[in-house]
């Protein structure tokens, strides 16, 4: 071993990573570069796991030796190609080794990371196996500090990119492979998340070279795929300082340019923010990357990113739609596979990461920095945080704020601890922290009261983080809100949020000076929350109490102090503070660090603790009342509130009792024990027992002395005097008579568990009472008695911590003082008290176990042999009761002493040769299967298939504190008792099966006992101890987790971590053990009952069996044969119960894996399964269909070849001769096994083919599905028999079977061609190497400036030597070569003998009659309407069969086929004839793809006339869909010249104005549109088409206009391309242009002229139209065509092409169109297009022009409709460009809106008011405050300077009718001015609907309105009343606070107006 070690250490030099590795230092003696490699971690462990265990652990050398052993076996398995089970087993061992917190050295980790990366991506490896390796890779790289990228390791990105490209760029890999299962994209994207960190930043140019050429928006999927790949693979860590061209800013402009190529896409926004945020994070520590107030970005970049954040939050603005267009993201295609899972990686996470990682002190003094923009963002969307304003945005916003705070805290802590090495000038400082907290404070206080529960959760966590950063800024506001809530002054929901806030703030309050004095009074105030009528509030109160108890000691600190008298001082102080909060309101400032001296604060704190005793007794009183009133929990484990309360009580009591001073503990002990002794509350039994348990755990000696005697006495009284448990009872409820007894037993059993050796003084009493109860009790109480024994045994034999104190003993001995509040104990400095059982305890436990077991054995014997006095008479249940009672006792006894059972003797194997007892590593034979139960049915020929290893697999055990010595008397006694128990169980099983087979309760108890017997060895597995303890610990840790800090938890929680670690060791050692004879008997018993007639018996046996086979080696192969036999017999005799039992056991548990791998069983299983699937019973059918997929997988091809990099594998362990020999022998075995398996598969396949031919269709369909995976192989393709079945099956009369066989036949064709393309080599197949005869690489002349134009011009005519099929070539950037296909291939595809055999065999069946039958089925009417579509699969299948005809394999001539095709079309009247014809012709044309030009022309000569005739006259609404799919199949992803006759014909379509067949015209145009869409930018015949369309824009038919509009839009969309010469010129060009690259889609001169011409024409038509004309005119028709075209373009990614035309051309025209009242359709369309305008991204210049035009129209347009509509656009553009707008634009928009308040039209005034308040609301404070001030002054003056004239006194003599005179123009003007002023003031008030208390200027304005304008008649008075009423309505919740903002005079003025009339 020493030599191995030395060899391993010496080998590492070669494998160090390339870049910047510490290679040059001198090596010391043992070959280490100064010990570098032994540094296992970048950071030492926070928690010393090994130090705290109560027993000696193994040495580091032993751990390393075991690791070497694991690595050695791992290496052997890989070299022997034994991936499953071999490599998987050793991977599991390695994972387990790491799980025990053992550390790898750096070199080992590097080598393993490389190895698993290689294995996870190795070509040829089974997908499921590769996922396991990917998982291991993620475990090894889970934490970033394990390995430093670059310093320790770089990974190669190419293998990963290769796998991803196969998924998302299938065109690249040549062809679709039907037979090769691809990896799951989820696993690949997860791999990227972990591997990306380790990609070399120097590879950025190579990645851009690799991916960018695929970028294209002509076929937009390319764009989505490329950005997805860049996001997943592009390394974001900083490149070395020397490489200037790799700094982020050198390629960022290109990224921004790519982003701008796809506008209006949510996917793009998300992807780029994700990429940029990681870039920001990784560049933060790099000194050489330039860093400004915008982080590593520029001002323009940062503003664009903030603008996209505004879009992503999807805040609703005015009448706007979302800023996104759903159409764009539906083009993502396969790009969807590359998106990160939005649940795991929410967008708010990316946003927050980018912002926080870009903040630095540079932001403080510059206004538009990242921090300034963050403040503007939060201020802009502030109102959307308010609870009254919730919607789809609520969760995203609260999540964003949560992540912002979380990242900030993490960065703050890591910078402080030095873990993040950030240059000092970039580090966060106090001032930044303060501004950051203030920025988020208000919205978080709104969020905690939100209506959405997830928003509340996020807001509370944010609150905790902010309070952690700045307690003095957060706690005052929190307390100011919390005090009224918990005093019950406000709504209930505020109370619950306040309680939760208190819980998360408790830790920070306890440790913050001044605020900690509030804690005890808050505790008192929350007490009423414990209330049986409101269990939710009770839970929250208990949780709060728990968190306080973990942080403060309940000690009265006034003791021995004369200067403090009780709690008076504290009470007075608290009252004055609460008063201050009420007065100062929400902005209260409590700065205790300044205004309170340390001495005073300490006195107040001490005084506040005087009331703790009083608190404790009232708390206990409340809990007792709660328990008395608890409702009955309806059923257990239902998640009901009652159950939650019962579970939370012990969690609260443990820290509470542990933190009490001795005096207070005595008080609690007295109260609790008195309550327990005097009450029996049945439904609160569990809760009370838990409380009892916590009481005893905290101070065992005191508590047990008080409780045990009392409880034992009560039990005896109950039994002797009250006759409890004297008879059996029916049902599940405890009888009232027995409740007292059960109460006392429950208390006793919880008193004696986990209290350590404190029970020893009472051992005799405890032993006697157990015996006494077992003798006396019957019925349900007996279960509780057994449970009590179980608990006592657990307590005596377990090793566990018994330490719950908040402090170390030295702190307690010096006395507790104020400084100990919230004290943190460091994880390295704790001293844990453990309970390790002593000899006396073990002896007592074994005595108890023995006595109880013997009694039970005796009782069971007498029950089964009839000597018992309880007779099995078949009437009473007495016998069953007694039997199940003893079985339950057995189960609990076994699990109670499980830690005493040693896995070795527990499985005495049959041969004794394996005893190797001295080392920790026990060598055991993996399957000691040489016993009498060897299944007879397995003949010797299958010996190769046996999975048993002849070598031994080592099992690694580590010390766990095992208590008994092997060979001593106690050890023998325990194990022999277990053995006898097992025998007894077997006998009871036999007895029940024979005599009582319907006694379900006994069987249930029996199999539960079986389960314990099997799995509770070494650890109590049946109780899931480890999972449970881990889960509880995780829940308790949660509140104390702070990002960037390590394990800063209260001491009791830290201690529990050690306990969990001890259990992890136990769990690790309880690995599967060898089976003994008794194990076999019991396993076969379970298998027998798994197919019982009784459902319940079956279920229990299956569950026990499932658990048992996991812990016994070789159990699976033992139980499969009897189960298979049962299945076969069941099918034979139609015994449904047995069939279901067997199917379920075999296929729905862990046996299915063994069956699929072990071909001794598989054939039998498959045949039995097929037979079962014909059984006529619904439940059996359901099981069968559920398992079909798994059974199909059985036949999959095993791994034949895996291609790996040898160097990476050799790095993990040294090899020597002995190992080589092992590898060779293992290799032989694996090979033999594979060969045998494949032979069996082939044989079975033949058998099943015959079966499929001759069975019922239902069975045949199952058989066929299985046969396909079984029978097709790369080497032999398929057997003769199978080929015949498939070829004839494709024309079977049953439609379902026909579909199956045709699909399989297609797969076979695909396999044949793939094999031929891979030159018949499997290796080429795995590596995706295909040799297509026609494919060539062509040099591009990219240096030639005219090259792109020439390239495109080539697509305008048919003559060419090569076809360019790929759309992306040269769209964005040219590569130096491009793939192309020769028009005249030099050679055809060469087939070898195997392929020819299969093809000729298929060809022999493909005759004229075969085609005739196939075609006739094609034109049948499908069974359901969803199947009525063009089936791509039929066309592909036909293409393959036509190729057979070409290659001369088929027994049919072309003439015969042509006849049949004509027959199919017939007269063309039926749509099904069209569907069939389209599919056949598509197949025919596709089959000529790789043929000579002559053969192609021949095919076209036949097809063209048919097609063109149909296109000209035969299209109907029913069949046009088939033909557009036909076109799509022929043109998509192909060179348009391949289908030139079609393209040419479609391009020659011109509008026929004389035709009145609208559908005929429009359907032709739609086919042309399909052609343009598929050909993309390669379509070059557009000019005449566009001219024709533009000349007829005013076509009279709607259908034709719509078709024209969409075709024009698509032609224009596909004209754009960039075609940069190469990547360098692309990157350089963008960099030179600006930091955000060039702006794409700039309209060409030609396009601009066309567009202007169109709008001039429309204007001319408008002038010609008579106003009010009802009938359609050229203007209305032409406008609709243009609007449809604009709508399509503006909803797409090239929308920015039209932005230059908005201001000058579109807006005015659109407003005119919206004015045509006679044509509603036109109005709607125009409005739709108009609404797009502000949502389109504009450049700064375009936006400036647009704003000018909007302002001009708003102020000066003669039509009030137009003025009103402009307001819509103003508000949206203001919000969308919040970060891009210049101040003068802002002011212009505000001035315009304010001026429109004085509009003559009331609708415009009201609209302007709403718009103004919206704009104010979303403006940043700096701008908002000044503006509000100016406006309020302006409007108030308007109101005061234009008073209403006094009414003249009425003259009684004058004519009464003359009073209602028409108002004069002056009066009108006055009303208008006053209305404008009122609306303006109203807009200011409504801009702040939720600010509480309202801003200081609001009360004054309200008073002005009430006094000066409330009594105005008409609209003015009405407006005032509405404003005032709304003000009150939105503030219902906070009215008590808001009222304080008004002075008494203001309240008096508002009294009558504001609330009397509306809320009287």
């Amino acid at each position: 071993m020493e030599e191995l070690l030395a060899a391993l250490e010496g080998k590492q030099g070669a494998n160090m990573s390339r870049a910047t590795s510490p290679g040059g230092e001198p090596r010391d003696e043992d070959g280490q570069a100064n010990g570098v490699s032994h540094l296992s971690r970048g950071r030492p462990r926070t928690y010393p796991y090994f130090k705290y265990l109560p027993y000696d652990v193994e040495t580091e050398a032993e751990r390393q030796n075991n690791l070497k052993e694991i690595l050695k076996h791992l290496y052997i398995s890989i070299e022997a190609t034994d991936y499953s089970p071999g490599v998987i087993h050793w991977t599991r061992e390695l994972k387990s080794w790491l799980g025990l917190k053992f550390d790898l050295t750096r070199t080992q980790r590097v080598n393993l990371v490389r190895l698993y990366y290689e294995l996870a991506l190795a070509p040829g490896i089974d997908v499921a196996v590769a996922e396991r390796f990917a998982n291991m890779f993620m475990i090894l790289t889970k934490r970033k500090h394990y390995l430093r990228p670059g310093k320790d390791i770089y990974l190669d990105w190419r293998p990963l990119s290769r796998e991803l490209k196969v998924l998302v760029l299938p065109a690249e890999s040549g062809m679709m492979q039907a037979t090769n299962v691809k990896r799951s994209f989820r696993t690949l994207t997860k791999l990227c998340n972990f591997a990306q960190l380790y990609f070399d930043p120097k590879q950025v140019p190579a990645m851009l070279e690799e991916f960018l050429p695929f970028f294209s928006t002509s076929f937009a999927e390319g764009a989505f795929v490329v950005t997805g790949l860049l996001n997943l693979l592009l390394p974001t860590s900083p490149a070395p300082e020397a490489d200037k061209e790799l700094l982020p800013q050198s390629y960022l402009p290109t990224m921004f340019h790519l982003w701008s190529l796809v506008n209006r896409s949510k996917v793009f926004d998300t992807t780029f923010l994700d990429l940029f945020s990681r870039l920001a994070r990784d560049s933060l520590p790099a000194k050489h990357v330039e860093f400004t107030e915008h982080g590593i970005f520029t001002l323009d970049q940062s503003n664009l990113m903030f603008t996209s954040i505004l879009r992503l939050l999807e805040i609703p603005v005015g009448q706007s739609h979302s800023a996104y267009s759903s159409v764009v993201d539906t083009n993502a295609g396969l790009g969807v596979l590359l998106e990160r899972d939005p649940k795991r990686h929410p967008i708010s996470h990316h946003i927050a990461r980018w912002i926080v990682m870009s903040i630095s002190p540079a932001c403080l003094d510059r206004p538009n920095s990242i921090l300034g923009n963050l403040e503007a963002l939060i201020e802009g969307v502030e109102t959307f945080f308010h609870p009254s304003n919730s919607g789809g945005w609520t969760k995203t916003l609260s999540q964003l704020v949560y992540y912002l705070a979380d990242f900030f805290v993490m960065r703050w802590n890591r910078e402080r601890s030095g873990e993040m090495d950030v240059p000092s000038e970039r580090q966060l400082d106090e001032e930044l922290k303060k501004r950051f907290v203030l920025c988020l404070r208000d919205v978080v206080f709104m969020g905690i009261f939100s209506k959405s529960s997830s928003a509340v959760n996020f807001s509370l966590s944010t609150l905790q983080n902010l309070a952690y950063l700045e307690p003095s800024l957060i706690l005052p506001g929190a307390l100011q809100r919390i005090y009224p809530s918990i005093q019950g002054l406000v709504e209930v929901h505020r109370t619950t949020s306040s309680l939760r806030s208190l819980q998360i703030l408790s830790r920070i309050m306890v440790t913050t000076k001044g605020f900690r004095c509030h804690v005890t009074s808050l505790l008192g105030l929350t007490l009423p929350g414990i209330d049986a009528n409101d269990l939710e509030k009770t839970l929250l109160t208990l949780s709060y109490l728990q968190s306080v108890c973990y942080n403060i000691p309940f000690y009265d600190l006034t003791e021995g102090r004369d200067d403090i008298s009780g709690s008076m001082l504290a009470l007075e102080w608290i009252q004055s503070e609460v008063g201050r909060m009420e007065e100062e309101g929400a902005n209260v400032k409590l700065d205790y660090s300044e205004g309170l001296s340390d001495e005073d604060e300490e006195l107040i704190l001490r005084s506040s603790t005087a009331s703790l005793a009083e608190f404790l007794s009232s708390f206990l009183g409340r809990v007792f009342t709660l328990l008395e009133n608890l409702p009955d929990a309806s059923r257990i484990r239902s998640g009901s509130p009652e159950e939650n309360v019962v579970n939370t009580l012990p969690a609260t009591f443990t820290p509470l009792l542990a933190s009490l001073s001795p005096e207070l503990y005595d008080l609690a002990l007295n109260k609790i024990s008195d309550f327990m002794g005097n009450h029996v509350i049945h439904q609160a039994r569990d809760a009370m027992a838990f409380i009892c348990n916590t009481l005893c755990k905290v101070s065992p000696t005191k508590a047990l002395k008080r409780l045990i005697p009392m409880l034992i006495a009560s039990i005896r009284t109950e039994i002797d005097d009250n006759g409890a448990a004297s008879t059996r009872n029916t049902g599940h409820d405890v009888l009232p008579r027995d409740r007292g007894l059960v109460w006392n037993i429950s208390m006793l059993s919880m008193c004696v568990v986990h209290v350590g050796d404190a029970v020893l003084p009472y051992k005799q009493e405890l032993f006697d009472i157990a015996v006494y109860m077992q003798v006396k009790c019957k019925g349900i109480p007996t279960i509780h008695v057994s449970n009590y024994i179980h608990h006592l045994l657990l307590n005596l034999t377990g090793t566990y911590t018994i330490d719950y104190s908040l402090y170390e003993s030295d702190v307690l001995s010096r006395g507790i003082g104020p400084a100990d509040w919230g004290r943190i104990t460091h994880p390295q400095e704790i001293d844990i008290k453990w309970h390790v059982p002593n000899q006396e305890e073990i002896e007592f436990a074994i005595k108890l176990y023995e006595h109880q077991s013997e009694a039970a054995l005796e009782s069971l014997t007498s029950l089964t042999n009839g000597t018992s006095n309880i007779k099995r008479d078949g009437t009473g249940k007495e016998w069953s009761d007694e039997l199940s009672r003893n079985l339950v006792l057995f189960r609990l006894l076994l699990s109670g002493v499980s830690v005493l059972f040693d896995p070795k003797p527990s499985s005495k194997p049959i041969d004794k040769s394996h005893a190797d007892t001295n080392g920790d590593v026990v060598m055991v034979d993996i399957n000691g299967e040489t016993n009498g139960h060897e299944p007879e049915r397995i003949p010797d020929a299958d010996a190769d298939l046996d999975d048993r290893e002849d070598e031994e697999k080592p099992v690694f055990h580590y010390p766990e504190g095992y208590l008994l010595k092997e060979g001593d008397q106690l050890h023998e006694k325990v194990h022999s008792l277990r053995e006898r128990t097992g025998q007894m169980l077997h006998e009871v099983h036999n007895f029940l099966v024979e005599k009582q087979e319907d006694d379900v309760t006994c069987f249930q108890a029996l199999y539960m006992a079986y389960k314990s017997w099997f799995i509770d060895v070494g650890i109590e597995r049946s109780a899931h101890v480890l999972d449970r303890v881990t889960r509880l610990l995780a829940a308790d840790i949660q509140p104390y987790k702070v990002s960037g800090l390590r394990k800063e938890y209260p001491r009791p929680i830290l201690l529990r971590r050690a306990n969990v670690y001890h259990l992890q060791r136990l769990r690790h050692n309880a690995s599967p053990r060898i089976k003994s004879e008794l194990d076999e008997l019991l396993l076969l018993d379970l298998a027998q009952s798994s197919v019982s007639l009784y459902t319940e018996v079956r279920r229990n046996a299956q569950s026990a069996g499932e658990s048992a086979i996991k812990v016994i080696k070789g159990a699976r192969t033992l139980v499969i044969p009897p189960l298979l036999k049962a299945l076969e017999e069941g099918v034979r005799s139609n015994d449904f119960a047995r069939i279901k039992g067997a199917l379920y056991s075999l296929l729905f548990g862990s046996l299915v894996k063994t069956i699929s791998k072990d071909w001794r069983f598989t054939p039998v299983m498959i045949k039995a399964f097929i037979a079962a699937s014909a059984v006529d019973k619904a439940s059996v059918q359901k099981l069968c269909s559920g398992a079909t997929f798994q059974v199909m997988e059985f036949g999959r091809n095993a791994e034949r070849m895996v291609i790996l990099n040898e160097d990476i594998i050799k790095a993990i362990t040294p090899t020597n001769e002995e190992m080589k020999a092992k590898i060779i022998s293992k290799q032989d075995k694996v090979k033999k096994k594979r060969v045998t398996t494949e032979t069996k598969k082939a044989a079975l396949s033949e058998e099943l083919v015959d079966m499929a031919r001759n069975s019922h269709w239902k069975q045949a369909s199952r058989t066929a599905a299985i046969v396909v995976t079984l029978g097709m192989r790369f080497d032999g393709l398929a057997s003769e028999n199978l080929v015949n079945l498939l070829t004839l099956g494709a024309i079977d009369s049953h439609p379902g079977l026909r579909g199956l066989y045709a699909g399989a036949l297609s797969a076979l064709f695909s396999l044949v061609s793939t094999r031929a393309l891979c030159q018949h080599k499997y290796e080429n197949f795995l590596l995706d190497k295909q040799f297509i005869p026609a494919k060539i690489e062509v040099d591009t002349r990219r240096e030639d400036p005219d090259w792109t134009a020439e390239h495109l011009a080539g697509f305008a005519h048919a003559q060419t030597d090569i076809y360019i099929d790929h759309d992306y070539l040269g769209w964005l950037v040219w590569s130096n070569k491009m793939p192309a296909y020769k028009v005249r291939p030099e050679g055809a595809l060469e087939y070898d003998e195997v392929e020819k055999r299969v093809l000729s065999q298929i060809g022999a069946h493909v005759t004229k009659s075969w085609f005739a039958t196939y075609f006739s089925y094609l034109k049948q009417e499908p069974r359901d309407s969803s199947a009525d579509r063009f089936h791509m699969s039929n066309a592909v299948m036909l293409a393959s069969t036509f190729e057979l005809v070409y290659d001369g394999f088929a027994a049919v001539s072309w003439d015969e086929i042509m006849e049949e095709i004509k027959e199919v079309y017939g007269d063309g009247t039926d749509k099904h004839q069209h569907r069939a014809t389209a599919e056949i012709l598509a197949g025919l044309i596709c089959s000529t793809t790789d043929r000579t030009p002559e053969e192609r022309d021949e095919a076209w000569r036949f097809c063209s006339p048919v097609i063109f005739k149909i296109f000209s006259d035969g299209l109907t609404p029913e069949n046009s869909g088939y033909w557009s799919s036909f076109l799509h199949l022929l043109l998509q992803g192909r060179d348009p010249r391949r289908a030139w006759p079609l393209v040419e014909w479609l391009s020659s379509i011109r509008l026929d104005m004389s035709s009145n067949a609208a559908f005929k015209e429009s359907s032709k145009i739609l086919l042309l549109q399909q052609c343009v869409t598929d050909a993309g930018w390669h379509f070059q015949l557009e000019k005449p088409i566009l001219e024709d369309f533009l000349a007829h824009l005013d076509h009279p038919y709607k259908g034709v206009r719509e078709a024209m509009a969409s075709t024009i839009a698509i032609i224009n969309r596909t004209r754009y391309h960039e075609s940069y010469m190469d990547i360098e010129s692309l990157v350089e060009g963008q960099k030179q242009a600006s930091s955000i690259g060039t702006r794409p889609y700039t309209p060409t001169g030609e396009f601009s002229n066309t567009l202007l011409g169109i709008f001039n024409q429309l204007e001319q038509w408008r002038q010609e139209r008579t106003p009010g004309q009802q009938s359609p005119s050229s203007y209305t028709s032409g406008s609709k065509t243009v609007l449809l075209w604009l709508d399509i373009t503006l909803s797409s990614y090239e929308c920015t092409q039209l932005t230059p035309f908005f201001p000058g051309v579109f807006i005015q025209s659109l407003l005119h169109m919206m004015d045509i009242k006679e044509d509603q359709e036109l109005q709607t369309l125009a409005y739709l297009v108009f609404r797009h305008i502000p949502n389109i991204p504009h450049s700064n210049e375009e936006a400036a022009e647009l704003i000018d035009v909007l302002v001009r129209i708003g102020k000066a347009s003669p039509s009030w409709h137009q003025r009103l509509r402009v307001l819509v656009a103003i508000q949206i553009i203001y919000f969308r460009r919040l970060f891009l707008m210049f101040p003068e634009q802002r002011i212009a928009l505000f001035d315009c809106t304010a001026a429109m308040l004085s509009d003559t039209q009331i609708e415009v005034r009201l609209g302007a008011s709403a718009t103004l308040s919206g704009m104010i609301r979303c403006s940043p404070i700096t701008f908002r405050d000044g503006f509000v001030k100016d406006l309020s002054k302006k409007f108030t003056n308007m109101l005061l300077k234009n008073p209403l004239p006094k009414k003249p006194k009425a003259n009684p003599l004058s004519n009464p009718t003359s009073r209602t005179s028409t108002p004069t123009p002056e009066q009108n003007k006055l009303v208008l001015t006053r209305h404008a002023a009122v609306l303006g003031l109203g807009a200011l008030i409504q801009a702040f609907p939720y600010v509480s208390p309202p801003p200081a200027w609001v009360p004054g304005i309200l008073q002005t309105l009430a006094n000066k304008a409330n009594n105005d008649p008409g609209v003015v008075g009405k407006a005032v009343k509405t404003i005032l009423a709304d003000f009150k309505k939105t503030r219902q919740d906070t009215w008590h606070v808001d009222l304080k903002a008004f002075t008494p005079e203001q309240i008096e003025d508002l009294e009558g107006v504001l609330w009397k009339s509306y809320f009287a």
Side-chain angles (χ1 to χ4, degrees), residues 13-42:
N15 302 311
M16 279 309 277
S17 104
R18 303 182 292 289
T20 61
S21 55
E25 296 112 340
R27 292 183 165 266
D28 53 23
E29 311 309 63
D30 62 352
Q32 284 303 316
N34 300 336
V36 171
S37 174
H38 264 319
L39 288 177
S40 44
R41 310 161 57 79

Side-chain angles (χ1 to χ4, degrees), residues 1333-1334 1384-1390 1490:
R1384 188 179 288 282
E1386 276 153 26
L1389 193 55
E1390 289 180 16
D1490 294 325

Side-chain angles (χ1 to χ4, degrees), residues 243-260:
D243 298 322
K244 289 278 180 276
E245 73 282 2
L246 293 179
L247 289 174
Q249 274 309 340
S250 57
Y251 58 85
L252 274 176
T254 309
M255 294 294 168
F256 276 90
H257 176 67
L258 295 180
W259 191 358
S260 67

Side-chain angles (χ1 to χ4, degrees), residues 234-388:
L234 201 70
T236 47
S237 39
E241 200 166 342
D243 298 322
K244 289 278 180 276
E245 73 282 2
L246 293 179
L247 289 174
Q249 274 309 340
S250 57
Y251 58 85
L252 274 176
T254 309
M255 294 294 168
F256 276 90
H257 176 67
L258 295 180
W259 191 358
S260 67
L261 277 166
V262 181
N263 293 298
R264 308 208 67 184
S265 156
K266 189 169 185 177
V267 173
F268 258 60
D269 282 2
T270 312
T271 306
F272 279 103
L273 276 174
D274 183 12
L275 178 61
F276 293 155
S277 69
R278 280 200 317 279
L279 198 59
R281 175 195 69 196
D282 293 342
S283 305
L284 176 65
K287 275 206 177 84
H288 59 280
V289 178
E290 191 186 345
F291 202 88
T292 63
E293 68 270 28
H294 309 291
I296 60 166
F297 296 92
T298 63
L299 172 63
D300 290 344
Q301 290 170 344
S302 151
N303 285 345
L304 271 181
M305 288 162 76
F306 268 107
T307 306
S308 73
I309 292 172
L310 269 186
R311 290 198 295 264
L312 280 164
L313 295 176
E314 303 232 33
I315 300 280
V317 192
Q319 300 177 347
S320 150
H321 281 305
S322 159
Y324 296 114
S325 158
S326 54
V327 188
V328 179
D329 285 342
T330 49
N331 290 326
L334 292 168
V336 173
L337 303 181
L338 300 176
E339 288 171 32
R340 289 181 201 265
D341 178 7
K343 280 204 171 67
R344 305 281 301 273
H345 305 271
I347 178 60
S348 34
H349 179 267
H350 311 324
I351 298 172
R353 176 167 58 192
W354 168 60
I355 292 176
V356 173
M357 295 303 172
S358 303
I359 292 179
S360 67
C363 297
L364 286 170
D365 41 6
R366 299 190 179 88
N368 55 6
S369 60
I370 291 252
L371 185 59
N373 279 353
L374 172 65
E375 289 167 339
L377 174 73
I378 298 289
E379 286 152 12
V381 297
E382 187 169 21
T383 43
F384 291 92
F385 283 92
H386 195 274
S388 310

